Amino acid sequence: MANSSGPAAGSFRAALQHRGFARYLTATTISSVGDFLNSVALLVVIYRATGSAGWLGVVAVLRVLAWAGATAVGGVVSDRRDRRRLLVVLNVVAAIVTFGLVLAAGIDAPFLVLVALSVGLDLVAGLVNPACAAAVPSIVGEEDVAAANAAVTTVEQVSIVAGPALGALLVAAFSPEVAFFVNAVSYVIAAVLFAGVPVGGTVVGEDEPPARFRDGVAAVRASRPAMLLLSIFVAAVFSYGFSIVLFVLVAVERLGLSDAGVGYLRMAEGVGGVAAAAIAGRVAAKNSVGALVGTALAAGLTPVLLALTTSPAVAMVVLGLGGGAYVVFEVIVVSWLQRITPDEMLGRVMGLLMSMGALGTAFGAFLAPVLNGAIGLEWTLVVSGAVPIGLIIALWPMLPSIARDAAERQAELAPIVDVLRGLSIFAAADDLTLEHLAGLVEPSEVAAGCVLMSEGDIADDFYVVRAGILDVRSSGGSGGEATFVNAMGPDDWLGEIGLLQRSPRTATVTTTTAATVWRIPGDEFLAAFAGNASRPDILGGTMAVRLARTHPGRAADIIDDIVT
């Protein structure tokens, strides 16, 4: 009988019980908060050194491009090196660069030194991010990876609020140098913590990012709805690029705050985003043109309203609402793209979305100081909001057709989604995840006497039985004669053990009668758990029961997590 005091498999507590995950989570928390407070201090020190919106824009552009380029490289590096060593080394390098910022700011070094150091720090951050993300499964195992990813996401959301607030406090009470120093120390602490995390690396084959990028471009060009959605998204992040530069000027020139006030403005925006994240998925599921238009207009109106107020309190309320609107808008755009894009092209289209987003942000940061010098801060704020507002109004007549496409695809997949939702293994999956899996389902009619999977084979796919009877036999890993262990019928599933435990198949499954089965690619099955806060307890229990029949020794490892 399960003990209520023991952690349920797939829960946050279960993830924390894995050796090293608590250290990993602490390291990422400290590092993430440090990154956000550093950004505030950097904006302040650049503004104090130059008093120029132009230089704020130049540095912002360079930082975005450095981070985007390094992230692409980092994904390759993290798959070819020991990830623990990589995380330690990169955090040490980041600490050295940040200590350089402390020194450079303290001795009033030439401004270009500060620029070079800040860009260098973003290069390192871009290399770190993929290694951090790739490390989680090898720390907690696939069984608890969903809960672990949820914990990391929670940390990121908290950092969005806490980092800018702490940065503003340190700059206002002390100096940017103190904020840089705290950030440098955070990297040192993170490096020490990562050194004790049991995580390795995996060597993979050669990748071809340029080809995939070109395929993504081709997929978007061939789809008018996808092109429209991408255009709207780029317009929104273009406006965000403006805010990177203009928020310091808004704090000082419009609101009468110190330059450290930019941290409080960012904090207000983050609070709104965190609050809206809780409802964004439900709003996106409705395929509402009004929701897309409304959130896009609200996000675009945010800088316009900032141009009309000189009250810090009003500005923070406006930013909180705008930050929330932007989060919902982004989720709607991504969910519509998921529904209208062929599944085989979705990864490349999402990659294009991120790439274009980075370029849009960089262009906005580049243009902001140019317009500020030409037409002044207030009108530049109005222009930054007018771009997404104008585009959404221009495209408004076309949006209902996109919503219909998304709704039609949603309706087409609904019967499959209903079946998947009825399986307890997917009890924790949200509707968008189930829709994505439904689009990947490959129904197969299998004749009686066919072998669906063989004991010892590499685990590749996940199966749902829709009709027929299947015979399950296993030798228990002994290599001897396989014996009958179970029979499966409609709405049973199989293949999850090898996928979740990264192990060979534990049994041979043969169709006793003609059968209908649904196949879901294994990597997509695993990804279905990565975005959810928990996995249903029944999955751990089912795996334990099945392994007890075929591999009793391995079942004990799972039972230990469920039964105390």
Side-chain angles (χ1 to χ4, degrees), residues 92-264:
V92 169
V93 172
I96 293 171
V97 174
T98 311
F99 277 125
L101 279 171
V102 175
L103 179 61
I107 65 173
D108 294 326
F111 173 67
L112 289 179
V113 173
L114 292 170
V115 174
L117 289 169
S118 64
V119 172
L121 189 59
D122 278 284
L123 285 170
V124 177
L127 293 172
V128 167
N129 287 347
C132 277
V136 174
S138 61
I139 299 172
V140 302
E142 295 300 335
E143 185 178 353
D144 290 317
V145 73
N149 282 332
V152 173
T153 300
T154 300
V155 163
E156 292 172 350
Q157 296 299 315
V158 170
S159 300
I160 290 172
V161 177
L166 181 58
L169 286 172
L170 290 174
V171 171
F174 302 102
S175 67
E177 292 92 320
V178 172
F180 288 143
F181 180 80
V182 170
N183 185 217
V185 171
S186 76
Y187 287 130
V188 173
I189 295 172
V192 172
L193 291 171
F194 279 130
V197 174
V199 53
T202 304
V203 177
V204 297
E206 290 299 319
D207 204 358
E208 298 180 357
R212 290 208 304 268
F213 184 84
R214 287 195 298 271
D215 287 344
V217 172
V220 171
R221 290 180 62 186
S223 170
R224 183 165 169 262
M227 188 174 293
L228 292 176
L229 287 174
L230 186 62
S231 300
I232 294 171
F233 177 77
V234 171
V237 296
F238 169 76
S239 181
Y240 174 74
F242 270 75
S243 74
I244 294 175
V245 176
L246 299 180
F247 271 16
V248 177
L249 304 181
V250 169
V252 175
E253 297 180 16
R254 294 289 305 164
L255 304 179
L257 301 172
S258 69
D259 46 20
V262 65
Y264 300 124

Side-chain angles (χ1 to χ4, degrees), residues 17-355:
Q17 289 205 343
H18 286 274
R19 186 173 69 90
F21 182 65
R23 293 174 67 95
Y24 171 89
L25 193 61
T26 303
T28 53
T29 302
I30 292 172
S31 179
S32 184
V33 171
D35 287 342
F36 280 101
L37 75 86
N38 181 284
S39 293
V40 172
L42 188 60
L43 285 170
V44 171
V45 78
I46 292 171
Y47 183 71
R48 288 182 182 178
T50 66
S52 165
W55 275 113
L56 287 171
V58 169
V59 175
V61 170
L62 292 175
R63 292 185 64 199
V64 170
L65 295 179
W67 181 87
T71 299
V73 175
V76 177
V77 174
S78 68
D79 282 339
R80 287 169 169 76
R81 297 289 184 272
D82 180 275
R83 290 181 185 132
R84 175 171 57 185
R85 183 178 300 173
L86 190 63
L87 288 170
V88 172
V89 170
L90 289 175
N91 274 275
V92 169
V93 172
I96 293 171
V97 174
T98 311
F99 277 125
L101 279 171
V102 175
L103 179 61
I107 65 173
D108 294 326
F111 173 67
L112 289 179
V113 173
L114 292 170
V115 174
L117 289 169
S118 64
V119 172
L121 189 59
D122 278 284
L123 285 170
V124 177
L127 293 172
V128 167
N129 287 347
C132 277
V136 174
S138 61
I139 299 172
V140 302
E142 295 300 335
E143 185 178 353
D144 290 317
V145 73
N149 282 332
V152 173
T153 300
T154 300
V155 163
E156 292 172 350
Q157 296 299 315
V158 170
S159 300
I160 290 172
V161 177
L166 181 58
L169 286 172
L170 290 174
V171 171
F174 302 102
S175 67
E177 292 92 320
V178 172
F180 288 143
F181 180 80
V182 170
N183 185 217
V185 171
S186 76
Y187 287 130
V188 173
I189 295 172
V192 172
L193 291 171
F194 279 130
V197 174
V199 53
T202 304
V203 177
V204 297
E206 290 299 319
D207 204 358
E208 298 180 357
R212 290 208 304 268
F213 184 84
R214 287 195 298 271
D215 287 344
V217 172
V220 171
R221 290 180 62 186
S223 170
R224 183 165 169 262
M227 188 174 293
L228 292 176
L229 287 174
L230 186 62
S231 300
I232 294 171
F233 177 77
V234 171
V237 296
F238 169 76
S239 181
Y240 174 74
F242 270 75
S243 74
I244 294 175
V245 176
L246 299 180
F247 271 16
V248 177
L249 304 181
V250 169
V252 175
E253 297 180 16
R254 294 289 305 164
L255 304 179
L257 301 172
S258 69
D259 46 20
V262 65
Y264 300 124
L265 300 183
R266 284 292 178 209
M267 179 193 70
E269 194 175 47
V271 169
V274 171
I279 65 168
R282 293 196 295 274
V283 175
K286 298 181 182 299
N287 294 311
S288 168
V289 173
L292 177 67
V293 171
T295 53
L297 291 177
L301 281 172
T302 299
V304 176
L305 293 175
L306 287 180
L308 300 176
T309 184
T310 57
S311 166
V314 172
M316 289 185 185
V317 171
V318 167
L319 285 167
L321 294 174
Y326 178 79
V327 166
V328 178
F329 161 79
E330 183 178 22
V331 172
I332 292 173
V333 170
V334 170
S335 65
W336 283 19
L337 274 174
Q338 286 177 336
R339 288 171 181 149
I340 66 175
T341 303
D343 290 300
E344 66 272 13
M345 299 300 298
L346 187 57
R348 280 161 281 193
V349 171
M350 289 296 112
L352 179 63
L353 184 78
M354 289 184 283
S355 299

